[in-house]
Amino acid sequence: MAGREGRRRVILSVDLAARRLGLRPGTPVAKAQALHPDLLIMDADPDGDRAGLERLALWFQHRIAPIVAPDPPDGIVLDTTGADHLHGGEAAMLENMVTRLKESGITARAAIADTWGAAHALARYGRGRITIVPHGETAAAIADLPIESLRLPADLIDDLHGLGVSRIGPLAGMPRAPLALRFGPDVARRLDQAFGRQAEAIVPVRLQTPVQVSQNFAEPISAAETIARYITKLVPPLCAGLEEREQGVRRLDLLLHRMDSRIEAVRVATAMPVRDVRRLTRLLCDRIETIDPGFGIERMVLTASLAEPILHRQGVSALIKEEEADVSDLIDTLANRVGTQALYRFAPVESDVPERAVCRVPALAPEDARDWPDHWPRPTRLLPRPEPIQTMAVLPDHPPVFFIWRGIRRRIRCADGPERVFGEWWKGDAELTTVRDYFRVEDTSGETFWIYRTGDGEHGETGSQGWFLHGLFE
């Protein structure tokens, strides 16, 4: 991608193949074409790139954390404090983010650190695809990174290279006064931001004006009781604003601006649109223990970052039948304590392969018209992975006489089967000929098991003919 820097036309970004040819951003286009005549050069679109980053930031804001902003030219910065528990922890959250971007055709690297500057540097110049720096270990994590990761202007980087400085660690150890005298304040400022000695605020991106209320304090507050009291004052006007729009909140963000320019964030989510004052107040107050007020909080902002229309429905008359219990309040409380990923229910999937016949859906997801298969009995407990067993059976269709599982020999008293399950050929060539024969067997102690043989008992291409235990009837 090429663009202009002053009067020169230079390369602004390159793909991996061009980088392997030795091309780098800043190389004159004429030089690149002279070295590689077949090079494909396209005009850069900075405005389009900026708009794309903003759209991506909004996507992250709706799904990951409330404080998200573009980090031009090629990044997104998020403050996930108070939101990572909703995604199963920091590692699971980063893995999910990178995987979902990859599925969309975007190759990404991600890092979590105490500061924006450190996370920026590690995401671009760190060794791993995913990096998580423990709290308080930022300095050691970025000391060996190149100075290009400090977000310094190109001319400053060239000057520092001229002095023989190429890494952050040696640069941070140099005296500040000579650095500031020769290079200005930018070097010291970027170092302080990376090491956490100077705060750097993240201004969240906004697509449209959400329902929002705020409270400024003449004197900073820090006590949990005081924070809870002002939460109870902010929630009613927020719900009133939602009522005017005939909406309910699905995701609620509480931003607490501290005296040191840092922002503490609390995010709560609901399984369905809600504008009940008591419920939202309780969900927010349950998260107060995660807030670090620092030297005090000078401003609180409550935002309905995700709101949806509320579908009103008529209540059921007690003369006809009892109204269904509303468990959404309980679901919201549990989900905000253990994380939305840890709270789910099972739903049927149209598949004969047992481990594919079920999927996880949100706890209050609408009921699906599909029903559980009932043409053959299924075990109440399906093992996470089929476990190999030792058996003796007459091929191809007879059940085993006995089997040994986890070191215990069990003699089979009666059996039912086989139920033949074929592979799903549309998922891969390996499943074109795959076969399993399932048997429901009962041992002499009265316990019932679900076992299968891989293969049809006659043809080697249908499977290994080995036996496995897949489930238990309880």
Side-chain angles (χ1 to χ4, degrees):
M1 307 297 292
R4 291 196 172 275
E5 287 185 357
R7 296 183 178 181
R8 296 193 311 159
R9 192 162 183 260
V10 299
I11 292 177
L12 298 181
S13 61
V14 296
D15 64 5
L16 182 60
R19 187 174 293 274
R20 287 172 176 168
L21 295 175
L23 300 178
R24 296 291 183 270
T27 304
V29 171
K31 178 180 178 181
Q33 289 177 321
L35 292 173
H36 308 285
D38 297 332
L39 190 67
L40 177 61
I41 298 178
M42 302 175 65
D43 291 331
D45 182 14
D47 294 335
D49 293 344
R50 193 176 302 109
L53 271 183
E54 290 181 357
R55 289 195 299 270
L56 189 58
L58 287 168
W59 185 89
F60 276 108
Q61 189 179 60
H62 288 164
R63 290 163 177 82
I64 305 297
I67 303 177
V68 183
D71 187 13
D74 59 354
I76 300 291
V77 58
L78 305 88
D79 186 345
T80 61
T81 306
D84 51 1
H85 74 285
L86 297 173
H87 309 282
E90 292 179 341
M93 178 182 64
L94 287 191
E95 185 65 36
N96 179 54
M97 288 164 51
V98 172
T99 301
R100 296 190 67 173
L101 287 173
K102 184 178 180 180
E103 291 173 352
S104 301
I106 302 174
T107 302
R109 294 157 56 91
I112 287 182
D114 291 340
T115 65
W116 177 354
H120 173 101
L122 290 165
R124 290 161 177 79
Y125 295 89
R127 296 180 179 178
R129 183 176 66 107
I130 291 176
T131 305
I132 299 178
V133 180
H135 179 67
E137 298 183 14
T138 300
I142 67 173
D144 197 43
L145 296 181
I147 59 175
E148 286 83 356
S149 62
L150 285 176
R151 297 175 290 169
L152 293 170
D155 56 342
L156 274 183
I157 293 174
D158 292 339
D159 292 342
L160 289 169
H161 278 301
L163 290 179
V165 180
S166 61
R167 301 288 170 181
I168 292 178
L171 179 62
M174 297 176 67
R176 289 296 183 86
L179 277 177
L181 183 63
R182 181 165 184 174
F183 301 108
D186 285 346
V187 175
R189 177 171 60 88
R190 289 304 191 188
L191 285 172
D192 288 340
Q193 289 174 345
F195 289 112
R197 294 188 287 262
Q198 181 177 335
E200 188 174 9
I202 301 175
V203 180
V205 65
R206 295 292 183 195
L207 176 62
Q208 59 182 0
T209 304
V211 179
Q212 185 179 89
V213 292
S214 61
Q215 175 71 51
N216 295 321
F217 305 108
E219 295 291 336
I221 65 171
S222 58
E225 297 80 4
T226 308
I227 296 174
R229 185 169 70 251
Y230 281 102
I231 287 176
T232 60
K233 293 181 179 180
L234 289 175
V235 173
L238 181 95
C239 292
L242 290 168
E243 187 173 4
E244 291 180 1
R245 300 188 184 187
E246 297 184 349
Q247 291 180 329
V249 67
R250 286 291 309 277
R251 190 172 296 118
L252 191 60
D253 296 328
L254 176 64
L255 306 183
L256 303 104
H257 297 255
R258 305 193 328 185
M259 292 290 294
D260 57 1
S261 299
R262 293 182 180 272
I263 299 178
E264 288 286 308
V266 172
R267 165 169 284 184
V268 297
T270 60
M272 54 195 306
V274 174
R275 60 167 179 258
D276 182 82
V277 173
R278 294 181 61 185
R279 184 191 298 192
L280 295 178
T281 300
R282 187 182 68 253
L283 291 176
L284 287 169
C285 289
D286 286 346
R287 302 293 301 160
I288 288 179
E289 61 185 15
T290 66
I291 297 172
D292 178 12
F295 296 107
I297 297 167
E298 58 183 0
R299 187 168 186 256
M300 290 174 59
V301 180
L302 187 61
T303 306
S305 57
L306 179 60
E308 296 178 358
I310 287 185
L311 301 177
H312 298 281
R313 62 187 181 96
Q314 184 173 349
V316 178
S317 172
L319 297 176
I320 305 174
K321 61 178 182 179
E322 293 186 2
E323 187 174 2
E324 294 181 0
D326 183 8
V327 298
S328 61
D329 192 5
L330 174 62
I331 295 297
D332 294 342
T333 301
L334 294 175
N336 284 282
R337 289 181 180 176
V338 303
T340 55
Q341 303 295 327
L343 199 65
Y344 54 86
R345 63 180 179 84
F346 291 109
V349 177
E350 294 179 352
S351 175
D352 288 333
V353 181
E355 56 266 36
R356 298 174 185 166
V358 65
C359 67
R360 296 181 180 183
V361 297
L364 293 182
E367 294 289 339
D368 199 319
R370 291 170 295 189
D371 200 0
W372 300 97
D374 57 0
H375 54 285
W376 281 91
R378 289 292 183 262
T380 53
R381 178 188 171 195
L382 197 69
L383 299 182
R385 297 182 184 84
E387 298 186 11
I389 57 176
Q390 299 176 20
T391 65
M392 183 178 71
V394 178
L395 299 179
D397 296 329
H398 289 268
V401 178
F402 69 88
F403 69 91
I404 301 174
W405 177 50
R406 296 182 178 178
I408 299 177
R409 180 188 178 99
R410 302 176 184 270
R411 185 170 183 82
I412 295 176
R413 182 172 62 184
C414 58
D416 186 17
E419 173 195 357
R420 179 155 293 180
V421 174
F422 293 93
E424 297 175 337
W425 53 267
W426 56 92
K427 291 184 178 294
D429 294 341
E431 299 199 23
L432 286 172
T433 57
T434 302
V435 171
R436 290 181 186 174
D437 281 344
Y438 278 89
F439 293 85
R440 182 184 182 188
V441 300
E442 181 180 332
D443 67 2
T444 53
S445 65
E447 295 184 78
T448 308
F449 303 88
W450 205 40
I451 64 176
Y452 72 87
R453 180 187 63 237
T454 58
D456 60 5
E458 296 181 288
H459 305 92
E461 65 272 12
T462 60
S464 64
Q465 315 303 324
W467 287 85
F468 296 85
L469 190 145
H470 203 173
L472 306 171
F473 292 88
E474 298 176 351

